[in-house]
Amino acid sequence: MAYYFPEPSRTFNEYLLVPGYSSENCIPSNVSLRTPAVKFKAGEKPALSMNVPVVSASMQAVSDDGMAVALARNGGISFIYCSQSVESQAAMVARAKAYKAGFVVSDSNVRPDMTLADVLALKEKTGHSTVPVTEDGLSNGKLLGIVTSRDYRVSRMATDTPVSAFMTPLEKLVYAPKNTTLKEANDIIWDHKLNALPIVDDDGRLLYLVFRKDYDSHKENPNELLDEHKRYVVGAGINTRDYATRVPALVEAGVDILCIDSSEGYSAWQKMTLDFIRKTYGDSVKCGAGNVVDAEGFRFLAEAGADFVKVGIGGGSICITREQKGIGRGQATAVIDVCRARDEYFKETGIYVPVCSDGGIVHDHHMTLALAMGADFIMMGRYFARFDESPTNRVIINGSYMKEYWGEGSSRARNWQRYDLGGKEGLSFEEGVDSYVPYAGSLKENMDLSLYKIRSTMCNCGALTLEELRDKAKLTLVSATSIVEGGAHDVALKDNTATSAQLK
């Protein structure tokens, strides 16, 4: 007879935090969100920690080198997706590690023979209004000029007007040589009242753009997550099929931390992958594993050598694993069970293995609940897919801006390795969907708000660190009726849509 868990599995939405005593020191600015990213022994410091407890999912629609830089700049880690060739993923890692803060590689470029229509289409896709004109239309092509919104008037120009007719040509541009420092670049920008400064090499090829707006942005990111060489910390996903070639390439590219990207982690394949890493690199290469949903799965991966364990099966917004296969567990129950096992393992062995909660986050307060339930950090996909920094297209659906978002188990991603059970190669059936999420703007603005909410709630619980939150948190189950009570109810809400549109 099958084993039956005595309690139903529950989601984050079924819990609330009960406030505790808040001292005069409990203000959001005093709260630290620093958290360990990898295992460590009692009395020692972890080899890698994060300044905020947030990582982005290893998904095509979420985590490329652009997201890796943006998230590290804000204190977290992005796991660059592995459902691509080894060479392509390693190149993304290398670009993110080589990224010079303030120096931006242009991803919006045109040729001089292209048209205003092409510029407008590019702006619609990327949101960027500064478009370098290069000889071949590539990001490192010979710079011929720049197009900004000041160079054209859509109402007065034909859309088939060639770029060469309205661009600001190179001879009228202020630009700087390749050895220019960031301070020198910013001085040039301020002296010449520029919005952007191109950096070119000795052959006139475009290397970077330095933007006026990034000067303030750099000063506004005190949580930047950097390695010992002042480079951004970058993560990458791996699978249990080609790890023998993928891991060395990623290590060579400079990756800081790996994570086995799998829908179900309680398997011999994960142990084989971890065994390879430990045999080849010892403990110098950090690698998390998962996903699991109970104490037994956690213990297996901890003993197999995982640097952190990822929790969650079927809770992602684009995941249909539970629907298709009938496996999984409510995310809140899974996190509670696994974190209890982590604490028991720590008492027994003196080794603390961080837990990452992956999936089930719908509202910002769910992040705080996951952390209060014991998670050391949270992995999210949908949350990050909404931002400018995600690699997907921004499109208009029914009059609203949306971003494309698809699961790794969808036919679009065809990431069969993530769902590999050791059989034939290929995706037998889908475990993810292809969808859209509402466009939300920049990562920093949204993350700052989400993290402020976490800090504020922690203060309500009398906690100034995540460790304190886990010790002091008081959780209560809520009924269906009290969930309704928790939102706006029994009132007629004003429709502010028209007013907001007029203000804009």
Side-chain angles (χ1 to χ4, degrees):
M1 182 177 175
Y3 174 78
Y4 288 86
F5 286 90
E7 296 292 331
S9 65
R10 300 186 183 278
T11 66
F12 294 131
N13 221 38
E14 296 177 76
Y15 287 91
L16 286 175
L17 281 158
V18 176
Y21 171 71
S22 300
S23 72
E24 65 274 16
N25 292 322
C26 279
I27 57 175
S29 59
N30 287 341
V31 172
S32 169
L33 295 178
R34 191 165 174 81
T35 191
V38 296
K39 66 183 179 183
F40 59 94
K41 292 180 180 178
E44 298 181 359
K45 291 184 177 180
L48 178 61
S49 294
M50 293 184 288
N51 293 325
V52 299
V54 174
V55 300
S56 69
S58 180
M59 301 174 68
Q60 294 175 8
V62 178
S63 299
D64 64 350
D65 50 310
M67 179 61 74
V69 169
L71 189 46
R73 181 182 290 152
N74 287 275
I77 297 175
S78 184
F79 287 91
I80 294 175
Y81 69 93
C82 63
S83 51
Q84 58 179 316
S85 71
V86 172
E87 295 76 17
S88 176
Q89 188 186 21
M92 284 189 180
V93 170
R95 285 198 298 271
K97 293 302 292 184
Y99 182 87
K100 295 165 66 178
F103 292 83
V104 179
V105 176
S106 176
D107 60 357
S108 299
N109 310 281
V110 293
R111 300 187 309 273
D113 60 336
M114 295 174 77
T115 65
L116 175 59
D118 295 316
V119 172
L120 296 175
L122 192 60
K123 183 179 179 182
E124 179 69 24
K125 178 181 177 182
T126 66
H128 300 159
S129 57
T130 299
V131 180
V133 184
T134 58
E135 197 170 56
D136 53 10
L138 299 179
S139 60
N140 63 342
K142 188 171 183 179
L143 184 65
L144 302 179
I146 277 184
V147 171
T148 71
S149 54
R150 293 176 297 184
D151 292 315
Y152 58 85
R153 291 282 295 275
V154 177
S155 60
R156 296 187 179 184
M157 293 171 59
T159 55
D160 61 355
T161 305
V163 168
S164 58
F166 60 88
M167 70 179 188
T168 299
L170 183 65
E171 55 268 23
K172 293 185 178 181
L173 290 177
V174 176
Y175 55 92
K178 64 181 180 181
N179 58 350
T180 303
T181 66
L182 185 59
K183 184 182 183 305
E184 291 170 341
N186 282 317
D187 287 343
I188 294 171
I189 287 173
W190 287 100
D191 290 344
H192 294 271
K193 299 181 179 179
L194 306 174
N195 287 323
L197 175 71
I199 307 295
V200 299
D201 66 13
D202 296 337
D203 297 322
R205 291 183 171 275
L206 179 64
L207 296 175
Y208 308 105
L209 293 173
V210 179
F211 292 93
R212 173 189 288 260
K213 63 181 177 63
D214 285 345
Y215 175 81
D216 293 329
S217 174
H218 184 63
K219 297 295 183 183
E220 292 171 2
N221 292 308
N223 284 326
E224 283 185 322
L225 191 59
L226 306 172
D227 65 16
E228 65 273 16
H229 302 295
K230 303 300 182 183
R231 301 173 301 179
Y232 286 126
V233 171
V234 179
I238 60 173
N239 61 60
T240 57
R241 280 276 182 164
D242 62 8
Y243 54 83
T245 53
R246 190 173 295 271
V247 172
L250 295 174
V251 171
E252 178 67 24
V255 74
D256 296 281
I257 183 170
L258 302 170
C259 181
I260 303 174
D261 181 43
S262 174
S263 66
E264 203 281 296
Y266 191 2
S267 73
W269 314 108
Q270 297 242 337
K271 187 177 186 306
M272 290 165 59
T273 306
L274 290 168
D275 285 346
F276 168 81
I277 292 173
R278 296 294 166 245
K279 182 178 180 181
T280 309
Y281 301 100
D283 289 329
S284 64
V285 170
K286 306 302 180 183
C287 183
N291 288 15
V292 297
V293 291
D294 64 3
E296 200 175 317
F298 170 85
R299 173 75 64 158
F300 172 79
L301 291 177
E303 292 177 347
D307 282 293
F308 67 86
V309 172
K310 200 143 62 80
V311 179
I313 294 177
S317 60
I318 41 68
C319 184
I320 54 174
T321 294
R322 297 180 194 174
E323 207 175 280
Q324 292 280 53
K325 299 172 70 174
I327 65 168
R329 201 176 190 188
Q331 187 65 11
T333 300
V335 169
I336 292 169
D337 194 8
V338 170
C339 289
R340 186 182 295 119
R342 173 204 59 203
D343 294 344
E344 291 172 356
Y345 186 78
F346 181 53
K347 287 179 182 177
E348 289 177 24
T349 66
I351 299 173
Y352 187 92
V353 182
V355 167
C356 170
S357 175
D358 177 18
I361 302 294
V362 179
H363 305 292
D364 282 353
H365 75 271
H366 290 170
M367 300 183 203
T368 317
L369 285 168
L371 296 168
M373 290 170 181
D376 295 277
F377 53 97
I378 308 151
M379 177 175 278
M380 295 181 289
R382 183 193 63 85
Y383 179 85
F384 289 107
R386 304 172 301 145
F387 302 149
D388 290 320
E389 292 81 0
S390 74
T392 61
N393 294 322
R394 187 179 67 168
V395 297
I396 295 179
I397 305 293
N398 297 326
S400 298
Y401 279 112
M402 309 288 281
K403 291 272 284 186
E404 294 177 308
Y405 181 45
W406 59 94
E408 288 297 293
S410 67
S411 59
R412 180 170 184 173
R414 299 206 65 79
N415 183 10
W416 63 269
Q417 294 96 334
R418 188 176 197 275
Y419 303 87
D420 181 31
L421 293 175
K424 66 177 183 178
E425 295 185 2
L427 194 66
S428 300
F429 56 89
E430 291 184 272
E431 293 188 45
V433 298
D434 197 345
S435 62
Y436 299 101
V437 289
Y439 168 67
S442 75
L443 179 147
K444 178 173 174 53
E445 289 180 2
N446 285 275
M447 247 186 84
D448 282 353
L449 178 59
S450 298
L451 296 175
Y452 186 84
K453 290 179 183 179
I454 293 174
R455 291 187 177 99
S456 180
T457 305
M458 287 173 63
C459 288
N460 293 140
C461 297
L464 293 177
T465 66
L466 294 177
E467 189 175 7
E468 264 194 305
L469 177 64
R470 292 193 288 269
D471 290 340
K472 294 183 176 181
K474 295 181 290 185
L475 291 155
T476 181
L477 279 168
V478 295
S479 67
T481 306
S482 65
I483 292 174
V484 174
E485 180 186 63
H489 62 91
D490 300 312
V491 293
L493 295 177
K494 293 181 179 179
D495 183 1
N496 295 321
T497 306
T499 306
S500 298
Q502 290 169 3
L503 290 173
K504 290 178 182 177

